[in-house]
Amino acid sequence: MQNPFFKQIENKTGVNMDEIFALANAIQYADFTNEKQVRKIVKKVSRIANKPITKELEDQIVNSILQDGQSLDLGKIQKMLG
């Protein structure tokens, strides 16, 4: 990422902006009724946030997203991650 603003964010957070953009792209085009896609996104968010989750918590988050099936509530996931 060449933009100095994004470079500052990377330096402060330790999160690669390319990963963030890839995640945003995946979320934008994801089918939130597809468990495999949802699970992949949840794992990616956990990895990028450096917040390991248990299989049980992953299942809980995935099931919560699948129930809605229309969108991803990042606030809800954030609360579940603690």
Side-chain angles (χ1 to χ4, degrees), residues 50-68:
N50 198 23
K51 292 269 192 174
I53 58 175
T54 63
K55 177 70 170 134
E56 292 79 21
L57 182 55
E58 179 185 319
D59 290 342
Q60 184 181 2
I61 293 169
V62 168
N63 289 333
S64 175
I65 293 168
L66 289 173
Q67 283 178 357
D68 183 23

Side-chain angles (χ1 to χ4, degrees), residues 10-77:
E10 284 182 355
N11 291 338
K12 271 190 160 183
T13 64
V15 177
N16 182 302
M17 291 307 296
D18 290 333
E19 288 185 69
I20 296 294
F21 289 128
L23 175 61
N25 192 46
I27 289 171
Q28 182 178 0
Y29 296 105
D31 173 4
F32 291 106
T33 61
N34 181 315
E35 181 178 350
K36 188 175 181 179
Q37 281 187 11
V38 171
R39 198 166 291 279
K40 187 175 179 181
I41 290 171
V42 169
K43 287 178 182 179
K44 187 176 274 193
V45 169
S46 171
R47 184 179 52 76
I48 289 173
N50 198 23
K51 292 269 192 174
I53 58 175
T54 63
K55 177 70 170 134
E56 292 79 21
L57 182 55
E58 179 185 319
D59 290 342
Q60 184 181 2
I61 293 169
V62 168
N63 289 333
S64 175
I65 293 168
L66 289 173
Q67 283 178 357
D68 183 23
Q70 297 296 318
S71 63
L72 180 62
D73 183 351
L74 292 175
K76 185 186 249 184
I77 291 175

